[in-house]
Amino acid sequence: MTLLTRTAPPAHDLDLLGDLATAAAVRIVPAAEPGAPSRSWVVRLGRDLYVRSAPGSTGVAGGRAHLQVDGSRRPVVLAEVAPELHTLLDDAYLAKYGRCSPEKAAAVTSDVAAASTFRVRPRRATWAERVEDAVDAVRGAMRRQPAERPCPTC
């Protein structure tokens, strides 16, 4: 009989999650349909990272995607969340974003927002994605875009 256990994620995955968890907001770009990014709020619950569509933004579907934060793109997989975690996640979102207007804080804990919640798992970028990121980095350096506000949703 084989006992299946969950192994600890590699250290670089935990570093990635830690960096993203401190961001005020991230932008999600689905890998299958690159287009306008969807703004999302991010929280950490235990060892896992979760994203939820920010109030006023359109939701995204799960699957392969990129998270954009501070000018960098990180390849991830967005997975569905077990319904029993939504109450804990609501509390985590209120703790992190409760300083925003009451309407926005209520919107991020609504049933509609809960339906747009995904667990984030780092993944290895494909060769094509790495080339695209390098081209985007060169273009971005040539444009010199202004820095994002600390909390673009508040």
Side-chain angles (χ1 to χ4, degrees):
M1 179 172 163
T2 304
L3 180 63
L4 298 176
T5 60
R6 181 177 177 187
T7 60
H12 67 278
D13 288 354
L14 292 177
D15 292 343
L16 169 79
L17 295 180
D19 292 347
L20 292 174
T22 60
V26 296
R27 297 192 182 277
I28 300 175
V29 180
E33 303 170 16
S38 173
R39 187 177 61 226
S40 296
W41 284 354
V42 58
V43 294
R44 189 172 192 164
L45 185 62
R47 293 172 51 148
D48 293 319
L49 187 72
Y50 296 87
V51 292
R52 183 178 279 185
S53 293
S57 64
T58 58
V60 296
R64 290 175 4 133
H66 291 95
L67 293 186
Q68 294 179 335
V69 63
D70 297 330
S72 66
R73 286 171 31 132
R74 297 176 184 167
V76 297
V77 174
L78 303 176
E80 289 187 26
V81 176
E84 57 270 10
L85 288 178
H86 286 295
T87 302
L88 294 171
L89 288 169
D90 287 346
D91 293 342
Y93 277 100
L94 286 175
K96 184 172 181 179
Y97 297 102
R99 61 179 164 65
C100 293
S101 69
E103 300 84 28
K104 288 184 180 180
V108 81
T109 58
S110 69
D111 290 338
V112 172
S116 69
T117 304
F118 295 97
R119 185 178 66 193
V120 176
R121 291 285 184 219
R123 68 175 172 85
R124 179 176 272 251
T126 64
W127 182 84
E129 289 170 336
R130 286 183 261 162
V131 169
E132 183 182 345
D133 288 346
V135 169
D136 287 346
V138 169
R139 286 183 182 152
M142 294 170 66
R143 278 189 294 234
R144 298 199 189 277
Q145 297 176 349
E148 287 189 33
R149 297 183 325 192
C151 185
T153 56
C154 293

